Amino acid sequence: MSMTSRKAPAPVLALAACAAGVVATLAATPAAQAAPAAAAKPPALAWAPCADAPTRECADLSVPLDYRDPKGRSVSLAVSRLRSDRPEARRGTLLLIPGGPGGSGRDWLGRVGERLREETRGVYDIVSFDPRGVGGSTRADCGLDRGDLEITKIRPWPAPGGDISGSIAAARRVAESCARVGGALIRSFSTANEARDIDRIRQALGERKLSAWGVSYGTYVGAVYAQKYPDRVDRLVLDSSLDPDPSRVGRGWTANIAAATEDRFPDFARWAADPARDARHRVAERPEDVRPSVLALAERLDRVPERGPDGTQQLTGNRLRARLQMALYDDKAFPALAELIVSARAAGEAAPPAVEPAYGSPEEAATLLGVLCNDVRWPRSPASYERAVAVDRLRYPLTAGMPANVMPCAFWKNDTAEKPVRITDEGPSNILMVQNLRDPATPHSGALRMRESLGERARMVSVDSGGHGAYLRRGNACGDRIVTAFLTTGERPERDVLCR
């Protein structure tokens, strides 16, 4: 793989000033004005072999539910560790910060820990955790029924033609249920609290500083941690970064999916039109014909009811669109997507294929909504979402208005407790960003906003690849080599780099 250097961009001061001005206008509760009280140092973690993976160690850590009341109710965090296999080389702890919001760090450690330890030559004990709300930690629940957990409802897709009246009704219902069932635990979900939880993990590990690798939402958590506690960060890798605009945060991340999907789709189009494909996977003769073919199929499937006469769940237009958006995360999902498209098109006006819709777990949905809705105030006017969806559908037909659609955050019962942290260039120069050029969830354009905000604190490695997640995921030797060198030696490129 080749690499091309580019001079590191300067921070865009106009953007930072504009964002700060918007944040200043947000209404704050009295709680937002009070800094969290200092909590007592947590006890050392009581490690024991993990029940499902004896080569790793597991422990539970108690942290305050509300850091303003450190002696009040607590929640439990599930932490796991893969020790360095070369104690003489060990220099500290590398924390894996999972994405989501709502991803499991312990599961991620199970998938990548052994390879990461080998890549970094035992320099670190590798640690991760399940954030509050998910996995082995204290679990959250909004009391949602299975229908609300379908992926086309969690990330709400407008009805055929762009109508969002059903989305508005569902958003109201889900917001009410989260407030009623989720209670104080749901109210505690925020990026700022996850950063505080990470610092409690650092203290319990007995580390003066942590190194970290954050992916997707974990990049924002890592950046917030480095902003709040700059002297407690050793080396920080931000992989697939989010736009840190403090006036929008989660609302902006969701909106950016529209352009990100458009960035990534040509990779699938080339794959699905490759003459080497068999008839089950060849969507079109030419790459430029794949897009209109998929859009026409989705429009035809918009007329299909969610369930057939026999009660089986059918492939609808939105279920196809949702599967497309998810499949763009990784090339390995392309064959199944192409086969679905080909079979649905071949059915013509007959019954489309039966499908098992994708569902989120109750705790994942509750944690996702809690963080997105608690971090910042969302617009309250349904009419504003109707207008945004209409524009988004015209600009980005592949996502049909979903990224601009109304979410329960518009009717959230819990006011934002704190202003979002503004990421700045003030702090140590110890951050390395790595980013695919064509990411369907966290677009390169959003990562550039993070890069601009960090200024000389960071360097950025852009990888000429598609998919979500860059380091050790895309087989790009250039990008992987630079990140590994940074983690093991601290060496960082003098300028931003493009790995071809």
Side-chain angles (χ1 to χ4, degrees):
M1 299 292 178
S2 64
M3 60 182 182
T4 305
S5 295
R6 298 179 303 182
K7 188 174 181 180
V12 180
L13 298 180
L15 279 174
C18 177
V22 173
V23 170
T25 68
L26 293 176
T29 65
Q33 310 304 321
K41 181 180 178 180
L45 292 162
W47 296 109
C50 298
D52 59 343
T55 60
R56 299 194 300 275
E57 297 171 300
C58 286
D60 294 318
L61 176 66
S62 179
V63 299
L65 173 72
D66 185 342
Y67 278 90
R68 295 166 299 177
D69 182 17
K71 295 182 180 180
R73 180 181 163 190
S74 63
V75 295
S76 178
L77 301 181
V79 187
S80 60
R81 174 173 69 177
L82 182 65
R83 282 184 177 272
S84 166
D85 56 354
R86 300 174 191 175
E88 72 283 358
R90 184 187 179 279
R91 73 180 307 274
T93 293
L94 176 64
L95 182 72
L96 308 187
I97 309 176
S104 166
R106 292 205 307 179
D107 287 352
W108 183 25
L109 178 61
R111 292 192 300 272
V112 305
E114 296 283 355
R115 183 180 177 191
L116 181 59
R117 183 171 66 178
E118 180 180 349
E119 288 283 332
T120 54
R121 302 191 294 276
V123 169
Y124 299 101
D125 290 341
I126 304 172
V127 172
S128 196
F129 66 105
D130 289 344
R132 57 174 72 192
V134 298
S137 298
T138 301
R139 290 196 178 194
D141 190 358
C142 276
L144 306 183
D145 63 31
R146 187 156 174 78
D148 285 328
L149 293 173
E150 186 180 342
I151 198 67
T152 58
K153 305 297 193 299
I154 294 175
R155 295 282 193 183
W157 291 77
D163 178 60
I164 67 168
S165 57
S167 298
I168 292 170
R172 290 185 188 276
R173 184 179 68 252
V174 169
E176 291 276 0
S177 187
C178 284
R180 184 177 66 256
V181 178
L185 181 59
I186 293 287
R187 291 195 296 272
S188 79
F189 294 158
S190 69
T191 302
N193 273 346
E194 186 163 334
R196 295 181 183 110
D197 289 347
I198 287 174
D199 204 53
R200 297 280 288 184
I201 293 172
R202 177 195 63 79
Q203 294 174 60
L205 290 168
E207 298 282 10
R208 188 175 65 87
K209 292 186 176 185
L210 285 176
S211 291
W213 171 24
V215 171
S216 192
Y217 170 65
T219 63
Y220 182 63
V221 176
V224 168
Y225 184 80
Q227 194 72 42
K228 289 171 69 71
Y229 310 107
D231 58 336
R232 302 173 195 178
V233 177
D234 186 10
R235 297 167 185 169
L236 177 60
V237 173
L238 304 182
D239 182 343
S240 308
S241 291
L242 292 161
D243 183 343
D245 180 354
S247 70
R248 288 167 60 83
V249 285
R251 186 161 61 94
W253 309 335
T254 302
N256 285 348
I257 291 173
T261 300
E262 297 286 346
D263 291 344
R264 170 66 162 150
F265 184 80
D267 289 341
F268 172 70
R270 283 189 293 271
W271 187 96
D274 189 327
R277 304 283 164 244
D278 59 32
R280 292 181 306 141
H281 301 106
R282 189 102 184 265
V283 174
E285 296 294 316
R286 303 179 303 167
E288 58 266 34
D289 295 331
V290 173
R291 178 189 174 91
S293 177
V294 170
L295 290 174
L297 175 61
E299 186 175 349
R300 177 168 67 79
L301 291 172
D302 280 339
R303 300 190 292 272
V304 171
E306 291 191 357
R307 290 186 180 272
D310 59 354
T312 58
Q313 303 199 77
Q314 301 188 104
L315 181 66
T316 63
N318 280 340
R319 285 173 178 161
L320 176 64
R321 295 179 184 102
R323 283 174 178 251
L324 166 65
Q325 207 277 320
M326 291 187 293
L328 297 179
Y329 278 51
D330 197 302
D331 291 8
K332 293 177 182 177
F334 286 1
L337 173 64
E339 188 169 353
L340 181 67
I341 292 169
V342 170
S343 62
R345 191 173 55 192
E349 295 302 321
V355 296
E356 175 58 30
Y359 294 92
S361 70
E363 61 268 21
E364 289 170 341
T367 306
L368 172 74
L369 292 174
V371 173
L372 294 185
C373 302
N374 289 336
D375 265 6
V376 72
R377 181 177 293 174
W378 290 53
R380 300 286 186 178
S381 167
S384 69
Y385 293 99
E386 291 174 344
R387 291 190 295 269
V389 165
V391 172
D392 218 53
R393 286 172 62 84
L394 291 174
R395 293 183 64 188
Y396 306 109
L398 287 172
T399 46
M402 177 273 288
N405 201 5
V406 65
M407 292 188 69
C409 306
F411 310 106
W412 206 240
K413 304 303 178 183
N414 178 39
D415 203 358
T416 53
E418 299 178 75
K419 296 176 182 178
V421 172
R422 186 164 69 90
I423 306 303
T424 75
D425 59 355
E426 298 175 4
S429 298
N430 58 356
I431 300 173
L432 181 68
M433 298 174 60
V434 60
Q435 182 78 29
N436 293 326
L437 291 180
R438 300 176 303 282
D439 187 313
T442 58
H444 193 262
S445 56
L448 288 174
R449 295 287 185 91
M450 178 73 83
R451 175 70 186 88
E452 291 160 354
S453 297
L454 290 168
E456 287 300 308
R457 296 177 68 189
R459 293 292 182 269
M460 183 166 170
V461 180
S462 297
V463 178
D464 187 6
S465 182
H468 189 49
Y471 181 49
L472 304 183
R473 289 289 303 276
R474 303 295 149 207
N476 186 286
C478 165
D480 289 350
R481 183 174 62 248
I482 293 172
V483 176
T484 298
F486 172 68
L487 288 173
T488 54
T489 70
E491 177 186 353
R492 199 177 67 164
E494 291 185 3
R495 301 184 178 193
D496 288 359
V497 171
L498 172 62
C499 286
R500 298 191 182 279

